[in-house]
Amino acid sequence: MAEVEPHDHNGPQAPKGHDHSGKCDEALAELYVFLDGELTEQKRAAIGEHLDDCSPCLEVYDFEAELRQVIKHHCTDQVPDSLRGRVAKQLAALELDGPGPTAGSDASS
Amino acid sequence: MSGAGLAVFARFARWRLRSPRLHPVPDTLATMADQATFADQAMPYMSSLYSAALRMTRKPADAEDLVQETYLRAYRGFGGFEQGTNLKAWLYRILTNTFINQYRAKKRRFDETELDESEDLYLYRRLGGLEAAAAGRSAEDELMDWFTDSEVKAAVEALPEGFRMAVLLADIEGFAYKEIAEILDIPIGTVMSRLHRGRKALQKNLYEFAVARGLTDRIDPAGTSGPEARPEPVVVGARERDDEPEPRPATAGPD
């Protein structure tokens, strides 16, 4: 495999072991855009076809997709009950204080 | 206020909400129906807003204040929200603007070019495929179990703010590029660039935390290692903060 060249596109370069060189580079260049669901239907299908033929690329795609799930899954937090309570109270207070829809007061800025 | 006046005011309110400095919109615009639906529609987003607030502020007390302030502004501006459009993105725009205006530490502007470029496929090259066996990751080890909640959160929170915002909006909240561009008020090209580089940086951070933990296991098989046995990981973004203590890998707490 050729050494990684400086590139100005945003995608990764194929690691060692990928045989299809040009197609692998292209598939990996679009990895994130593919996983983000931002490719055109056409491009997505083309990459899908390559992944059917190229298990090294498929492995990378699977790994990155799984990693995305891992990150999302681990970044969840419990909302403190005290916060829920404070926000609910705050909104209730605003509802009481706020003028109704028929109020004629000028909008202040 | 007349119907026409109300319509003009609604347009004004929408414009104000789009501008970088978010000003609260007077309550007169929130009709009673709006007030009732606000709770139904907006409150369910609290847990994801809170998580995002934690990643942004890195302090639970600030995160709570940020969420509370966001709901206040959202409520006041709700009359200007177009029903049927993306409420989650609208709320995140308010969250982000409030964070930028009130909680972001005063420091130099985020300059992406200053940061070293880490490799593509950083984690895959070390933990994926054949490298996994060398790293001690057996076939049974799920990637999901490889990192703790604390480590992933710390890895995200250690990212420089520009990368962190893009990554959390895309990878954790699932927004589209266009939505991220609107929430952060940057071009789509910049979103893609920050995502690509931010994800690489995140992978490097994750690896550093994992290595720090893994090395400890090897050094001290008894499993009684304390923080002093653990080498400090070099995380991407640590350099940027000149007014806060260095981020430390969170000790693996209850997940």
Side-chain angles (χ1 to χ4, degrees), chain B residues 87-155:
Chain B
L87 178 62
K88 190 181 178 190
W90 188 79
L91 290 170
Y92 269 77
R93 177 107 169 103
I94 295 172
L95 178 79
T96 303
N97 282 348
T98 307
F99 168 68
I100 287 170
N101 293 333
Q102 295 192 3
Y103 294 93
R104 190 170 65 178
K106 306 283 177 270
K107 59 182 190 287
R108 58 191 164 83
R109 200 177 57 85
F110 176 64
D111 186 354
E112 301 161 44
T113 59
E114 288 184 23
L115 297 162
D116 296 330
E117 197 75 18
S118 50
E119 297 167 49
D120 291 317
L121 306 180
Y122 196 92
L123 270 177
Y124 179 76
R125 291 174 198 268
R126 288 158 182 78
L127 298 181
L130 292 171
E131 289 72 20
R137 181 186 161 207
S138 72
E140 291 80 52
D141 282 351
E142 292 289 326
L143 190 59
M144 189 64 76
D145 303 323
W146 191 251
F147 304 106
T148 63
D149 280 12
S150 310
E151 283 165 351
V152 176
K153 289 174 187 174

Side-chain angles (χ1 to χ4, degrees), chain A residues 38-92:
Chain A
E38 300 271 356
L39 283 179
T40 60
E41 193 56 49
Q42 207 175 353
K43 273 202 145 176
R44 210 162 55 80
I47 288 179
E49 273 178 40
H50 176 73
L51 294 179
D52 285 342
D53 292 335
C54 179
S55 49
C57 279
L58 182 59
E59 225 180 84
V60 175
Y61 267 68
D62 279 346
F63 182 89
E64 292 283 340
E66 199 184 342
L67 181 64
R68 184 78 63 91
Q69 291 300 308
V70 168
I71 291 165
K72 188 177 150 98
H73 181 265
H74 283 305
C75 282
T76 48
D77 305 88
Q78 276 274 61
V79 181
D81 288 335
S82 54
L83 176 58
R84 282 199 196 278
R86 285 211 319 269
V87 174
K89 257 193 194 166
Q90 172 182 267
L91 295 182

Side-chain angles (χ1 to χ4, degrees), chain A residues 7 10-13 15 28 31-33 36 38 56 59-60 63-64 66-80 82-84 86-88 90-91 94-95 98-99 101 103-105 107-108, chain B residues 1 9 26-28 32 35 38 43 46-47 50-51 54-55 64-65 67-68 71-72 75-76 120-121 123-125 128-129 137 142-144 147-149 152-153 156 171-172 176-177 192-193 196 199 202-203:
Chain A
H7 54 91
N10 281 333
Q13 297 280 314
L28 293 179
L31 169 64
Y32 286 145
V33 191
D36 290 335
E38 300 271 356
E59 225 180 84
V60 175
F63 182 89
E64 292 283 340
E66 199 184 342
L67 181 64
R68 184 78 63 91
Q69 291 300 308
V70 168
I71 291 165
K72 188 177 150 98
H73 181 265
H74 283 305
C75 282
T76 48
D77 305 88
Q78 276 274 61
V79 181
S82 54
L83 176 58
R84 282 199 196 278
R86 285 211 319 269
V87 174
Q90 172 182 267
L91 295 182
L94 286 173
E95 266 188 54
S105 54
S108 54
Chain B
M1 203 183 287
F9 190 71
D27 299 303
T28 45
M32 281 172 71
Q35 288 168 2
F38 180 81
M43 297 296 269
M46 191 178 303
S47 68
Y50 177 64
S51 280
L54 277 172
R55 303 291 92 75
E64 292 195 33
D65 287 347
V67 169
Q68 192 175 351
Y71 272 95
L72 177 65
Y75 177 78
R76 285 191 173 147
D120 291 317
L121 306 180
L123 270 177
Y124 179 76
R125 291 174 198 268
R137 181 186 161 207
E142 292 289 326
L143 190 59
M144 189 64 76
F147 304 106
T148 63
D149 280 12
V152 176
K153 289 174 187 174
V156 172
D171 293 358
I172 299 168
Y177 293 166
M192 294 175 74
S193 166
H196 180 65
R199 285 159 174 164
L202 175 60
Q203 291 194 14

Side-chain angles (χ1 to χ4, degrees), chain B residues 14-34:
Chain B
R14 277 196 287 275
W15 174 79
R16 292 311 290 273
L17 284 166
R18 274 201 286 270
S19 60
R21 280 213 79 81
L22 188 66
H23 296 280
V25 173
D27 299 303
T28 45
L29 197 55
T31 63
M32 281 172 71
D34 286 339

Side-chain angles (χ1 to χ4, degrees), chain B residues 55-58 99-100 103-111 114-115 157-165 237-244:
Chain B
R55 303 291 92 75
M56 290 180 196
T57 61
R58 301 184 291 223
F99 168 68
I100 287 170
Y103 294 93
R104 190 170 65 178
K106 306 283 177 270
K107 59 182 190 287
R108 58 191 164 83
R109 200 177 57 85
F110 176 64
D111 186 354
E114 288 184 23
L115 297 162
E157 288 171 16
L159 292 174
E161 192 186 284
F163 289 170
R164 185 170 6 123
M165 298 296 294
R239 246 182 298 137
E240 193 187 63
R241 275 178 299 282
D242 48 22
D243 54 358
E244 283 177 13

